[in-house]
Each structure stands twice: as structure tokens, then as C-alpha cells.
Amino acid sequence: MTMTPEQAAWFQGTFARLVDNVDQALMGKRDVVGLVLSAMLAEGHVLLEDAPGTGKTSLAKALAATVQGTSTRIQFTPDLLPSDVTGVTIYDQTSRRFEFHRGPVFASIVLADEINRASPKTQSALLEVMEESRVTVDGVAHEVGRPFLVIATQNPIEQAGTYKLPEAQLDRFLVKTSIGYPDLAVAERILAGAADRNPSAHLPAIITTGAVADMADLAGTVHVDPAVLRYTAQLAEATRDDKATRLGVSVRGSLAMIRIAKVFAAAQGRHFVLPDDVKALAGPVWTHRIVLDPEAEFGGTSAETVIARVLESVAAPQARSAA
């Protein structure tokens, strides 16, 4: 079944209301909020590379409040253990049974703060749950439910005592973006409300978590023309063939693009994906998946440069608008 124009119009209106609500807590960052919300509806995860104090925790709390979900914050440190993230099985002497005590990863929105400060073993504890939406402890699988969004952060400046995220884990993040600092006018508005230390607590809930899951399912029915699929595959292949890359966009990266492009199109009120949707999302969806050749990187080439070059060299199709 393909999304109808009427369903696309409803999706657009609901998406706009969600963004408006979160924007009350995270002022002036509608584009970032829309991208993170799109990742959640595409059932992916977000990596925020940002300086401290830019509103990452506020974003997670505001999203959770908006969808009537729960939010947790895990401060990643070198001594953090995998069980501190996923949970642990403990023997209860009263009932004489082993009981699973859920870790903080069991929430609608999980903020993994400074994820690169934890050891690789602890970082990998997120791999299964990000990919499968479940945690396996002592051979027993525990579902985390829907929606489930991991917002991981890392400080781009302070690298002392950190463990670089491996390519396999970076590839599991649907998008990578940053919130950034607000402009002067927005900063003044934020300072005027400084007395309210938790603006997310006053946000009204717009929809339920069940409705979010329904929106995610509905977004999956957006039509993608074969020409757009071919265009996406050609772009991914071009990143792998580029002379400056050692590792280009994987098949998982191409699938991630199609998933979020469907949400992006529906948020614009369309029941079909355009090549321009792929172009608009190429930066946040693909830059963190590209590993540059050391010589090219030393010469000033960046992942953004490769993406721009690929978008210019691969001709976009004139896709049909609907099924």
C-alpha cells in the first residue's frame, strides 16, 4: 500500500506540530529538530557532534515530552560498564528466581552523552540495541519498544582521554549533525527565560508513542521511484570510487538514505520521494560514513567535499511524482 495525498497532508501537519512544540524548548533550531525527528520516524539514531551547553539534553527531554515518552541520560565515562547501559540479571532470594533489572537504555529517547569517553567494549553495548531495538542479557532478549531513539554526543574539540568511534558503530547512526549556538536574537530570548531551568517540563504532549510508531509505519509507505533508487545507488557507488576516499557509503548507508528520504518527503506533504530529497539529506546521512585517504585529508579534502563532488558529477533523474 502506498501513502495517499490525504495521508501525506496529515503527516505534514502533524510533523509541523511536533517541530513547533520542541522548538519552544530548543529555540531557533527548527532544521535540527526536524532532522532529529525525521531520524526517529525513520527508526534510526542521531550523532550530535557539538560543544557543551548547546541544548542536547533539552532536545532529548523536549522530544520525549512531545511524544509522551520517557527519556534517560547516560554519562559515558572510562569506567562505565556495558551492564550499566543495558541492565543486569540479579538473583532474588525471596522468589528464588533471576530477575532482569533494566538499564537506562530502556527509554523512548536515550541521550548517550560523550559516547567517545567510554571504552570500546561499553560503546559496543549499544550496537545490538541500536540495530535490533532489543537487548540480550544471559541469552534472553528484551525489547526496548517503539519509538526508540539514541542521541549520542561527542565533543569535537576535547579529544584527550577519548576512544574514537569505530566505523562499524558510526555506520549505525542514521544522521550526524550539530545543534550549534543560537543567533543573537534567539540568545536574548533564551536568557529572558533563564529562571526556568527545565522548559521541557511544561511542554504539552502532542501525540502518544503509539501514534509515533504509526507515523513511522505510514512513512514507510511513501513511494520511491526506481529512478530515485538507482540515483541513490549511483551516488553511494561514486563515494566509494572517489579518489579521496578509503571507504565510501555502504549498503546500510544507502538503505538509511531511502528510509529517511521517505520521512522527509512526507514531512513536506508529498507521498513520493524526489531526487532533491536525497540531495538535501546527503550531508547529514553520509558524511560520517566516509573514511578519507590520509593524504587527501592532509591536503584539505573533507567528507563534505566528497559529497559535494559526487552530487555534482552524478546526474539526477527526472523521477515520476507518484506510483
Side-chain angles (χ1 to χ4, degrees):
M1 185 181 71
T2 303
M3 178 185 285
T4 64
E6 293 75 20
Q7 289 173 322
W10 173 84
F11 193 103
Q12 180 185 27
T14 305
F15 189 93
R17 289 171 57 210
L18 295 174
V19 173
D20 288 340
N21 201 57
V22 177
D23 187 58
Q24 296 180 54
L26 197 74
M27 300 178 189
K29 298 296 179 181
R30 293 183 60 85
D31 290 344
V32 176
V33 172
L35 185 61
V36 173
L37 184 58
S38 296
M40 181 172 71
L41 292 174
E43 300 191 295
H45 307 284
V46 179
L47 178 61
L48 291 179
E49 192 168 81
D50 236 328
T54 51
K56 299 180 287 291
T57 303
S58 296
L59 172 61
K61 288 183 177 180
L63 271 175
T66 299
V67 301
Q68 288 188 4
T70 56
S71 67
T72 56
R73 178 179 177 273
I74 309 173
Q75 182 62 54
F76 278 69
T77 56
D79 60 347
L80 191 73
L81 299 175
S83 58
D84 295 330
V85 175
T86 60
V88 64
T89 301
I90 298 176
Y91 182 73
D92 188 324
Q93 292 185 344
T94 303
S95 62
R96 295 184 179 181
R97 297 174 58 185
F98 285 97
E99 295 183 355
F100 177 65
H101 291 248
R102 296 186 171 195
V105 78
F106 286 87
S108 306
I109 314 291
V110 179
L111 180 65
D113 208 7
E114 294 190 293
I115 187 174
N116 54 336
R117 290 204 172 278
S119 67
K121 185 176 182 179
T122 302
Q123 290 177 9
S124 66
L126 282 176
L127 288 178
E128 181 195 14
V129 69
M130 288 173 63
E131 188 73 15
E132 305 292 340
S133 295
R134 68 178 178 225
V135 168
T136 302
V137 178
D138 295 333
V140 180
H142 305 272
E143 302 289 334
V144 295
R146 299 171 71 195
F148 175 65
L149 172 68
V150 173
I151 302 177
T153 74
Q154 57 183 8
N155 187 340
I157 304 300
E158 189 178 352
Q159 298 299 322
T162 63
Y163 301 86
K164 184 178 179 181
L165 291 177
E167 285 75 14
Q169 188 157 338
L170 282 172
D171 204 31
R172 280 169 168 77
F173 287 100
L174 184 61
V175 298
K176 177 184 176 184
T177 187
S178 63
I179 297 176
Y181 292 109
D183 59 33
L184 184 59
V186 174
E188 290 178 356
R189 290 170 54 199
I190 294 173
L191 294 177
D196 187 358
R197 297 178 63 88
N198 187 15
S200 302
H202 312 300
L203 290 181
I206 302 300
I207 57 176
T208 64
T209 53
V212 173
D214 292 340
M215 286 185 71
D217 292 337
L218 182 60
T221 66
V222 171
H223 173 68
V224 186
D225 192 273
V228 177
L229 296 175
R230 188 179 307 111
Y231 178 58
T232 303
Q234 289 173 335
L235 289 173
E237 186 177 40
T239 65
R240 297 191 291 267
D241 293 340
D242 193 277
K243 61 182 183 299
T245 62
R246 189 160 56 89
L247 188 67
V249 174
S250 66
V251 176
R252 182 189 282 122
S254 299
L255 289 170
M257 173 61 77
I258 297 301
R259 281 164 42 209
I260 195 169
K262 289 182 175 184
V263 178
F264 188 82
Q268 310 298 315
R270 284 184 277 105
H271 60 290
F272 52 88
V273 175
L274 294 175
D276 285 345
D277 298 331
V278 177
K279 290 181 180 180
L281 293 166
V285 177
W286 280 349
T287 51
H288 61 290
R289 304 174 193 271
I290 293 175
V291 179
L292 296 171
D293 179 81
E295 290 187 11
E297 189 172 13
F298 182 75
T301 301
S302 64
E304 290 79 6
T305 305
V306 173
I307 293 295
R309 189 157 57 211
V310 164
L311 290 175
E312 187 176 351
S313 63
V314 179
Q318 297 297 318
R320 294 185 297 274
S321 62

